[in-house]
Amino acid sequence: MPGKFKIPQLSFFKSDSELRAVIANTGWLFADRILRMGAGLVVGVWVARYLGAKQFGLLNYATAFVTLFGPLASLGLDNVVVRHLVHDALSKKEILGTAFRLKLLGGVISLLLPISIILLLQHDNTLTVELVAILGVISIFQAFDTIDLWFQSQVQSKYTVLAKNTAFFLVTLARVILIWMQAPLVAFAWAIVAEYMLGAVGLAVVYRVKGYSFWSWEWSYKLARDLLKESWPLIFSGFAILIYMKIDQIMLGTMMDDQAVGIYSAAVRMSEIWYFIPMAITSSVSPSIFAAKKTSEVVYYQRLKKLLRLMALISVVLALPISFLSETIIMMLFGNDYAMAGPILAIHIWASLFVFLGVGADPWFIAESLTDLSLYRTVIGAVINVLLNLLLIPGYGGVGAAIATVIAYACGSVFANATHRKTWKIFKLQISSLLIFN
């Protein structure tokens, strides 16, 4: 019927068994994030109220600073390794062993580097240096996420969910106890590290219970070279992504104060809490898109188009009500100390539209071996974010940082694709996906 609204078709798969596997996998990922979102939001808000805007801002500043060096821990290997495992599962021992050792080396570097830099920048601020040193330990345990890459390639993310949720709920309980004990700020930093440590142990246990052995993992210099050759643009892309995701908090802390960071972080938490949705969907659908690339170009682009339309639809459905109810949401959850976070949330939530479209386009960049252009677009977004923050933060504070973030996300995730002939095709798919009522 003409003019009748149609939900985008979601039939990515010809085989019912393949479809059921992906739906189940996505379901596990959603269950993981929804449980985390619920429990994490309640306890996270409780922690924010307990610490107050200033200490909460300092903790978020240190977290953002350490997070900037995260690409050195992952080395941009995640999607590349999943694709190798999908295409060559028989070589999994060599792929996993090489990826794990590379990630472990990257983790050591991403532990030492932020400590060295923060000592140079804030050597007179002992508490900030201590928080950065503690949180930097996280990068070592992230090497065990290599196990998760295997389960992703087999569309079996439920095992990762079980391992990491156990760690999450144990640490969530520990945070409640820390509040009850009136623990100092440093204790909450150690709780963050504990979650990653327990998650790594849980992944190792699950992997062993499933009958796999770490000791069979092998190192290959040739494969390491090939993986890094393919992933190095993603390392720099990761830096660029984190710059325009986290630089706002760092620049707020530098140009204003910790309290401004705390208020801004409360709004960002309510905005970014939804980012698990595109990641969960895309990680489950990516193997089918990679497989379609090998068999049919038509099916390959059909699946990409459906994925992007779904991303646009979900993001708009989320952003509209949150934008209108932002001040009510902030006051109900965080209280009067964070009242100024309401206007920030009303603006920042619209960044989710471009985040969803950007994540939805990631499988295309991997499948087309255009990771170097992924770097190009994210660098554009990062540069725009830094420049706009420099212009807007002095006059508008957190609201200016939110405006800078939305514009930067739009440029880096979508509009930068219009500036290069090789990415024009994915740009047209992204723009057409915005016509969700077509």
Side-chain angles (χ1 to χ4, degrees):
M1 181 182 296
K4 185 177 180 180
F5 172 70
K6 293 177 65 178
I7 297 294
Q9 295 180 15
L10 305 180
S11 53
F12 286 87
F13 313 99
K14 294 180 180 179
S15 163
D16 287 343
S17 60
E18 183 185 4
L19 176 60
R20 283 195 298 270
V22 172
I23 290 175
N25 188 70
T26 307
W28 275 99
L29 291 172
F30 266 84
D32 169 43
R33 295 302 179 179
I34 289 171
L35 285 171
R36 285 171 174 264
M37 183 175 68
L41 179 61
V42 172
V43 177
V45 168
W46 196 358
V47 170
R49 282 175 171 268
Y50 168 73
L51 293 176
K54 186 173 182 179
Q55 285 199 92
F56 186 62
L58 179 56
L59 180 61
N60 278 277
Y61 175 86
T63 303
F65 191 85
V66 169
T67 302
L68 279 181
F69 300 87
L72 290 175
S74 67
L75 294 175
L77 289 171
D78 291 0
N79 283 327
V80 175
V81 170
V82 170
R83 192 184 63 174
H84 276 263
L85 290 169
V86 170
H87 290 168
D88 188 14
L90 294 177
S91 301
K92 74 162 191 171
K93 295 177 181 179
E94 190 176 78
I95 296 171
L96 293 174
T98 303
F100 177 77
R101 288 168 176 83
L102 287 174
K103 280 174 166 282
L104 194 59
L105 176 61
V108 172
I109 296 172
S110 64
L111 165 63
L112 299 177
L113 197 56
I115 296 175
S116 302
I117 294 176
I118 200 67
L119 279 170
L120 290 174
L121 296 177
Q122 299 198 29
H123 56 86
D124 56 340
N125 193 331
T126 306
L127 182 56
T128 302
V129 173
E130 185 178 3
L131 289 173
V132 169
I134 292 169
L135 293 169
V137 177
I138 290 170
S139 60
I140 302 297
F141 297 112
Q142 286 178 323
F144 288 87
D145 285 343
T146 305
I147 299 169
D148 177 36
L149 303 182
W150 166 250
F151 288 129
Q152 281 186 41
S153 72
Q154 301 301 298
V155 200
Q156 295 179 346
S157 293
K158 63 181 179 180
Y159 301 115
T160 300
V161 170
L162 290 171
K164 293 197 170 184
N165 261 353
T166 301
F168 170 75
F169 283 110
L170 287 173
V171 173
T172 297
L173 178 61
R175 288 190 179 103
V176 174
I177 295 172
L178 289 175
I179 295 172
W180 177 71
M181 294 174 59
Q182 297 187 327
L185 176 60
V186 171
F188 290 91
W190 278 115
I192 296 173
V193 175
E195 182 179 342
Y196 282 85
M197 180 189 70
L198 292 173
V201 172
L203 282 173
V205 170
V206 169
Y207 189 76
R208 190 70 187 91
V209 168
K210 291 299 295 179
Y212 304 119
S213 172
F214 296 105
W215 309 115
S216 64
W217 286 3
E218 301 170 1
W219 164 262
S220 168
Y221 174 79
K222 179 181 181 301
L223 180 60
R225 184 184 60 193
D226 291 343
L227 289 174
L228 289 175
K229 183 179 179 181
E230 195 172 352
S231 72
W232 75 263
L234 293 174
I235 300 175
F236 293 99
S237 177
F239 276 118
I241 289 170
L242 287 173
I243 285 173
Y244 76 90
M245 284 189 71
K246 297 296 181 181
I247 199 66
D248 44 6
Q249 296 181 45
I250 294 174
M251 292 180 72
L252 268 174
T254 303
M255 300 171 71
M256 298 190 74
D257 53 34
D258 292 332
Q259 185 169 357
V261 179
I263 292 170
Y264 184 80
S265 297
V268 170
R269 172 161 297 194
M270 296 307 302
S271 178
E272 294 183 349
I273 199 171
W274 309 103
Y275 291 1
F276 78 90
I277 296 175
M279 294 175 185
I281 294 174
T282 302
S283 66
S284 291
V285 171
S286 290
S288 74
I289 293 175
F290 296 149
K293 174 67 176 174
K294 297 174 64 178
T295 58
S296 170
E297 195 79 359
V298 174
V299 175
Y300 167 63
Y301 276 103
Q302 284 177 345
R303 293 181 179 183
L304 280 168
K305 184 176 181 178
K306 291 170 184 175
L307 175 61
L308 288 170
R309 293 192 70 187
L310 181 62
M311 295 293 100
L313 178 63
I314 295 173
S315 61
V316 171
V317 168
L318 285 172
L320 274 174
I322 292 175
S323 184
F324 283 110
L325 299 173
S326 60
E327 294 189 19
T328 303
I329 292 170
I330 291 295
M331 291 297 290
M332 285 179 59
L333 294 177
F334 292 91
N336 293 331
D337 285 350
Y338 295 88
M340 294 302 296
I344 297 172
L345 175 59
I347 297 168
H348 197 283
I349 187 63
W350 287 102
S352 62
L353 172 61
F354 304 106
V355 171
F356 278 50
L357 290 178
V359 174
D362 282 345
W364 183 84
F365 281 91
I366 297 292
E368 297 293 322
S369 298
L370 292 175
T371 52
D372 55 332
L373 296 182
S374 179
L375 168 62
Y376 162 78
R377 64 179 184 142
T378 49
V379 166
I380 290 176
V383 170
I384 289 173
N385 200 18
V386 171
L387 293 176
L388 288 177
N389 274 311
L390 285 171
L391 290 172
L392 298 175
I393 286 177
Y396 301 97
V399 170
I403 294 171
T405 297
V406 174
I407 295 173
Y409 280 26
C411 293
S413 298
V414 177
F415 293 104
N417 293 330
T419 63
H420 197 287
R421 60 181 179 82
K422 290 184 178 179
T423 55
W424 182 250
K425 185 174 288 188
I426 194 65
F427 171 71
K428 289 193 295 184
L429 285 178
Q430 287 177 312
I431 293 299
S432 67
S433 70
L434 293 174
L435 305 174
I436 56 176
F437 294 103
N438 183 359

